[in-house]
Amino acid sequence: MPSSPDSPALTVTPLPAFNDNYLWLLARGQEAAVVDPGDAAPVRRALDRHNLRLSAILVTHHHGDHVGGVLDLKSRTGARVYGPAGEQIEGVDIGLRGGEHAEVLGADFRVIDVPGHTAGHIAYFVPGESPPRLFCGDTLFACGCGRMFGGTARQMLASLDALAALPPSTLVYCAHEYTLSNIRFALSVEPANAALRERAARDEATRQRGEPTVPSTIGLELATNPFLRCDVPEVRASITHGTVDAVDRTAIFAALRKRKDNFR
Ligand SMILES: [Zn+2]
């Protein structure tokens, strides 16, 4: 359900946690929600500082750095907890599957199944905001993607394809600040990609100022993220060294992911 024209805007703020996690704090007026609260402390501080009331907790997958603060926040605030129906996560009130919806802060959160990083991973797409928003946990990263712990290359690629099909203006809120190392890898695959080189310069400057490089957009990811570019001749050539034309895109994706796993 789109918010009414006179309701306050939805704000989204990164709360840094651990080494490189972002917990995403959403607010409309004084009502708040949080995505993937791996740690309760930074969320509690932000709620206190801005006098916000937490009404919802949204979880994308079961890893500890995404769920560690759920029970603490739930017991203190009574917030309703949404999470993937396909994973065992303590404290989840409403299990969600792809195609289902949750209404949070007056907005429609559409659930997309994105198995691969974990088997039951879900993402939340908010189409009614302008621009639309995507909370994708550890599936799509800025200029990269998550490691495959719970799925096959075919599943992970299908998950990334589903996210890549969202409107290009969609703001992409991933859960980690991995961007510069992802860009270094992307440049090793596509050294001549002008949009990627531009992004590298811009995001390096952003990090030098100590600011987050996220959110990015689906449009920027399509232009620069090698894992969304398995059909691009330069990416295919980098993997096959120009020798194998017939390699299917899943094999290209799997080889890219493996190369990234070993990239230093
Ligand atoms: Zn994870």
Side-chain angles (χ1 to χ4, degrees):
M1 185 193 315
S3 53
S4 72
D6 48 353
S7 72
L10 181 74
T11 61
V12 185
T13 309
L15 304 177
F18 310 116
N19 283 338
D20 49 33
N21 283 71
Y22 292 125
L23 323 180
W24 292 107
L25 182 70
L26 286 58
R28 196 186 300 276
Q30 296 311 117
E31 191 182 351
V34 66
V35 180
D36 284 352
D39 186 2
V43 181
R44 280 162 42 194
R45 280 197 298 272
L47 295 173
D48 286 348
R49 191 179 319 126
H50 303 291
N51 197 23
L52 297 170
R53 188 180 69 256
L54 189 72
S55 64
I57 298 170
L58 298 147
V59 172
T60 62
H61 67 292
H62 68 84
H63 285 162
D65 61 326
H66 296 251
V67 304
V70 167
L71 292 179
D72 177 296
L73 291 170
K74 181 181 179 177
S75 70
R76 281 169 197 272
T77 65
R80 180 180 285 187
V81 183
Y82 300 87
E87 300 197 345
Q88 284 296 327
I89 300 170
E90 213 183 335
V92 168
D93 300 304
I94 300 176
L96 296 166
R97 295 184 188 282
E100 296 184 329
H101 299 248
E103 194 195 323
V104 173
L105 304 180
D108 176 33
F109 282 60
R110 202 180 97 200
V111 177
I112 305 173
D113 277 329
V114 286
H117 175 69
T118 64
H121 201 306
I122 59 174
Y124 299 93
F125 176 55
V126 190
E129 296 296 314
S130 182
R133 317 293 174 103
L134 172 70
F135 299 92
C136 52
D138 288 351
T139 298
L140 176 62
F141 287 130
C143 217
C145 73
R147 284 176 186 254
M148 292 181 293
F149 295 119
T152 63
R154 187 171 300 279
Q155 283 177 315
M156 187 72 174
L157 182 57
S159 297
L160 293 172
D161 285 344
L163 302 183
L166 297 174
S169 63
T170 302
L171 294 173
V172 178
Y173 298 89
C174 64
H176 288 274
E177 179 63 62
Y178 289 158
T179 313
L180 293 189
S181 87
N182 286 341
I183 286 175
R184 275 195 298 280
F185 174 73
L187 281 168
S188 79
V189 177
E190 274 191 288
N193 180 332
L196 177 58
R197 294 162 70 109
E198 227 171 79
R199 181 180 197 175
R202 192 172 56 244
D203 284 351
E204 271 164 31
T206 301
R207 290 308 289 155
Q208 269 170 16
R209 294 195 302 273
E211 294 168 10
T213 59
V214 291
S216 67
T217 64
I218 290 293
L220 180 61
E221 296 310 320
L222 287 170
T224 59
N225 186 329
F227 296 99
L228 301 190
R229 294 170 61 77
C230 294
D231 302 316
V232 171
E234 287 76 10
V235 172
R236 296 177 61 83
S238 168
I239 289 297
T240 62
H241 306 290
T243 53
V244 188
D245 286 337
V247 175
D248 98 332
R249 59 198 297 277
T250 305
I252 297 283
F253 173 77
L256 262 182
R257 184 59 260 179
K258 191 167 177 196
R259 192 191 283 186
K260 175 67 167 68
D261 288 345
N262 299 315
F263 185 76
R264 292 289 174 270

